[in-house]
Amino acid sequence: MHYTVCGDNTLVLHVLSRNEGRCALLVRGAGKNISFFQPLNILECMVSANPKSSLSTASKFHSRKPLNGLRSSYGKGAISMFLAEVLYRSIREGMKDDGLYDWCIQEILLLDSLEGDFANFHIRFLLDYAAASGFGADYDKLLPFMEEDAADIAKFLRCSWAEAMFIPLRGGQRSAICRKLIRYLEFHLEVPLNIRSLSVLGELF
């Protein structure tokens, strides 16, 4: 999901794992592996206890999926940065949920495979993330947060996933809806979400 550089060729990698949930891993010799740590990469690695640190050490990285669609599209790359930041800032350390893990994998592969118009993907992602997190996103719950965007969010809730990709919106509308959905997530998750990458999406979509 995210990494923090903590020394020459060493970083702390923050990941979502099926077995451990949200956790942090120490990676040494990261320079030669840095391409593995792009947003939303789906990886396998060897994890071993580190007697000198409370962090386990990760090594021998292997990509489970190439995600060529994400890496070859600037737009998908920007969306992947946004999704990774939302997950990083909202999933607490030690939080484990097999259903949420499987849902995240499904969303990553879906974004990677999409062709054509995907400009509304991040809006639908936030709505579905609320459902995957257990508190849902129905119209009555969302209405106090949506203000003048209530009619547009109602369209997303009525439409199928495929139809939602073609709801006509201007860039400013998408950004406004995302900001309000982030406020909705903040309220229910009880954690501040300062999502910096949203400004990049606002310039693209």
Side-chain angles (χ1 to χ4, degrees), residues 9-149:
N9 223 19
T10 301
L11 55 82
V12 176
L13 182 64
H14 302 271
V15 302
L16 184 63
S17 160
R18 178 187 292 280
N19 294 330
E20 303 297 332
R22 162 78 185 270
C23 61
L25 301 169
L26 188 67
V27 182
R28 302 187 188 279
K32 60 185 178 183
N33 293 314
I34 200 68
S35 63
F36 283 112
F37 309 134
Q38 296 181 71
L40 302 185
N41 265 4
I42 304 172
L43 302 174
E44 292 179 354
C45 65
M46 180 176 291
V47 178
S48 54
N50 184 349
K52 297 181 180 180
S53 171
S54 59
L55 297 178
S56 295
T57 299
S59 61
K60 298 183 178 180
F61 288 90
H62 171 72
S63 178
R64 285 178 52 195
K65 300 287 182 180
L67 301 181
N68 294 326
L70 262 63
R71 307 311 168 207
S72 62
S73 165
Y74 188 74
K76 287 185 181 181
I79 290 176
S80 69
M81 287 178 59
F82 172 77
L83 306 190
E85 186 177 7
V86 168
L87 295 172
Y88 169 68
R89 298 192 183 282
S90 61
I91 300 177
R92 295 181 176 88
E93 194 80 21
M95 179 179 172
K96 181 181 176 182
D97 183 332
D98 289 352
L100 180 60
Y101 174 87
D102 290 334
W103 177 82
C104 287
I105 297 295
Q106 172 187 304
E107 291 293 299
I108 294 167
L109 296 178
L110 178 59
L111 177 60
D112 181 65
S113 68
L114 282 178
E115 297 180 1
D117 197 345
F118 51 84
N120 291 336
F121 185 92
H122 49 302
I123 295 177
R124 187 62 193 237
F125 172 89
L126 293 174
L127 288 168
D128 291 345
Y129 182 40
S133 298
F135 48 84
D138 61 48
Y139 184 76
D140 289 340
K141 290 180 179 178
L142 286 164
L143 186 58
F145 296 85
M146 298 313 298
E147 301 167 342
E148 68 273 13
D149 295 303

Side-chain angles (χ1 to χ4, degrees), residues 173-199:
Q173 289 175 293
R174 289 191 184 94
S175 294
I177 290 170
C178 281
R179 283 193 296 270
K180 291 165 185 176
L181 289 175
I182 288 168
R183 282 172 43 210
Y184 179 76
L185 291 172
E186 284 181 326
F187 176 80
H188 285 281
L189 295 171
E190 299 181 338
V191 61
L193 300 176
N194 178 25
I195 309 299
R196 299 173 184 174
S197 54
L198 180 57
S199 61

